[in-house]
Amino acid sequence: MKGIVNILTVDVEDYYMVSAFSDVIGIHQWGNFESRIKNNTLKILDIIDKYSKKGTFFILGWVAERYPEIVKEIDRRGHEVACHSHCHRLVYNMTPEEFREDTRKAKAIIEGVIGREVSGYRAPSYSITGKSLWALKILAEEGFKYDSSIFPIRHDRYGFPAYSRFPRMEETGTDKEILEIPLSTIKIFGENLPVGGGGYLRMYPLWLTHYAISKLNEKEKKSAIVYVHPWELDPDQPRLRGTKLSMFRHYMNLEKTENRLGSLLSTFNFRSIREIFQEKAFVEKAFV
Ligand SMILES: [Zn+2]
């Protein structure tokens, strides 16, 4: 087991809520689809338990409202419960007022379910970019201690390649600051290559993800941020029709995710962001 502690995150949403299909499925239609979120989230919880690890679960307010038992189970098993917006709308497509309203609603619902404060936020599809950086100030004002929404890469839907590759405290112009925990990258030929989660975990050969996490831990002495979605462990989910690119990204290698996640959990140390926050010495060593 390697020494540096990595961060495991799960974005708790169902297969029909994803941005890849949001142009063909609106939120008003979500109730029409077969829900698979409970079983898929339990599957992830069981895998994490098998390797005695902990993670941070970013949950949609919409999900917490309808399936509070899932949120309670995540909390009961000792994982951190955090916020993944209410409606899964991209931040840069909202006005600051709409963003504040969506975030406040989700936070209140999730906190109501678990009976304690929620400190972390992750935007749908990493949609805090150069043009929606204003969102960090709103998150700090709404009581969040950290955000993990910036992917410092080039991508058609998200990305902020000029941003720091590692966590940094963001001033907001008020007395509140917020820690930004960007998603993991490794530097290849001067470019940031996204690694360690979601489609990248499914698309790359497994050795490349292992290599990237080892490189971050051993060469750069930094934590990797790994992320998965419950639907990524469900190859039998109902097929939806979207653009060719969206379908490729969403369905590729779904049958491999479970084993790949297990392989990462058995090889590296993983904890929740909350646990890491509780160890100030660790934060200073790994994040500064
Ligand atoms: Zn999401």
Side-chain angles (χ1 to χ4, degrees):
M1 194 67 67
K2 312 283 165 55
I4 284 204
V5 176
N6 297 293
I7 292 172
L8 176 65
T9 65
V10 182
D11 295 353
V12 182
E13 64 198 24
D14 220 339
Y15 62 97
Y16 51 84
M17 301 172 179
V18 301
S19 302
F21 297 118
S22 63
D23 50 344
V24 285
I25 301 168
I27 187 169
H28 57 284
Q29 295 166 291
W30 285 5
N32 301 339
F33 290 88
E34 176 199 345
S35 173
R36 299 173 74 88
I37 190 128
K38 188 172 177 178
N39 286 347
N40 291 334
T41 304
L42 285 173
K43 192 191 266 189
I44 290 191
L45 285 169
D46 288 346
I47 295 169
I48 301 174
D49 272 356
K50 184 176 163 191
Y51 296 100
S52 306
K53 302 287 160 51
K54 290 285 183 282
T56 292
F57 286 65
F58 295 98
I59 299 167
L60 281 185
W62 194 94
V63 169
E65 200 168 36
R66 285 157 185 82
Y67 307 99
E69 67 281 7
I70 299 173
V71 185
K72 286 182 182 152
E73 182 64 11
I74 293 166
D75 185 53
R76 192 187 69 75
R77 296 206 199 186
H79 303 290
E80 178 183 12
V81 169
C83 180
H84 189 42
S85 86
H86 188 69
C87 301
H88 213 267
R89 285 181 67 194
L90 302 176
V91 176
Y92 53 70
N93 285 344
M94 286 190 268
T95 65
E97 292 73 27
E98 287 170 332
F99 174 71
R100 189 188 295 276
E101 194 183 325
D102 178 273
T103 307
R104 192 177 280 179
K105 185 175 179 183
K107 188 172 189 275
I109 291 169
I110 298 165
E111 288 178 344
V113 170
I114 57 169
R116 58 167 130 177
E117 206 184 335
V118 161
S119 309
Y121 182 86
R122 171 166 291 156
S125 293
Y126 308 108
S127 54
I128 297 186
T129 65
K131 56 180 175 173
S132 50
L133 212 51
W134 46 260
L136 293 179
K137 182 178 178 209
I138 293 175
L139 289 172
E141 286 169 353
E142 294 300 317
F144 289 93
K145 306 274 190 303
Y146 72 88
D147 170 70
S148 180
S149 305
I150 296 181
F151 221 141
I153 58 162
R154 291 176 210 284
H155 186 278
D156 57 343
R157 194 185 301 122
Y158 52 82
F160 187 175
Y163 196 79
S164 161
R165 291 178 54 228
F166 299 111
R168 79 173 188 206
M169 207 52 99
E170 287 284 346
E171 304 289 333
T172 61
T174 67
D175 59 340
K176 295 193 172 74
E177 46 183 18
I178 186 164
L179 179 69
E180 174 58 37
I181 305 174
L183 280 298
S184 288
T185 57
I186 54 171
K187 271 244 181 269
I188 302 274
F189 303 120
E191 286 284 320
N192 294 344
L193 181 76
V195 292
Y200 309 111
L201 174 63
R202 288 183 285 124
M203 181 169 68
Y204 301 158
L206 183 58
W207 65 260
L208 179 53
T209 301
H210 274 262
Y211 165 79
I213 296 175
S214 297
K215 188 170 192 283
L216 282 166
N217 289 176
E218 289 162 25
K219 296 253 167 47
E220 304 202 73
K221 307 288 182 214
K222 299 288 185 185
S223 302
I225 321 291
V226 165
Y227 66 94
V228 289
H229 304 85
W231 54 263
E232 289 187 291
L233 284 81
D234 182 13
D236 301 325
Q237 66 191 264
R239 288 303 194 256
L240 304 172
R241 289 212 70 79
T243 64
K244 269 189 181 157
L245 179 62
S246 291
M247 290 180 70
F248 171 74
R249 282 177 177 162
H250 188 88
Y251 295 119
M252 181 192 41
N253 287 343
L254 290 177
E255 69 289 350
K256 293 186 177 164
T257 316
E258 190 173 337
N259 282 343
R260 289 182 173 188
L261 178 62
S263 170
L264 297 184
L265 290 171
S266 69
T267 309
F268 302 99
N269 267 327
F270 283 100
R271 292 163 76 181
S272 66
I273 297 170
R274 177 178 66 193
E275 284 178 289
I276 289 173
F277 258 124
Q278 283 163 356
E279 283 183 29
K280 199 157 179 294
F282 174 83
V283 174
E284 281 167 1
K285 198 167 133 214
F287 283 7
V288 179

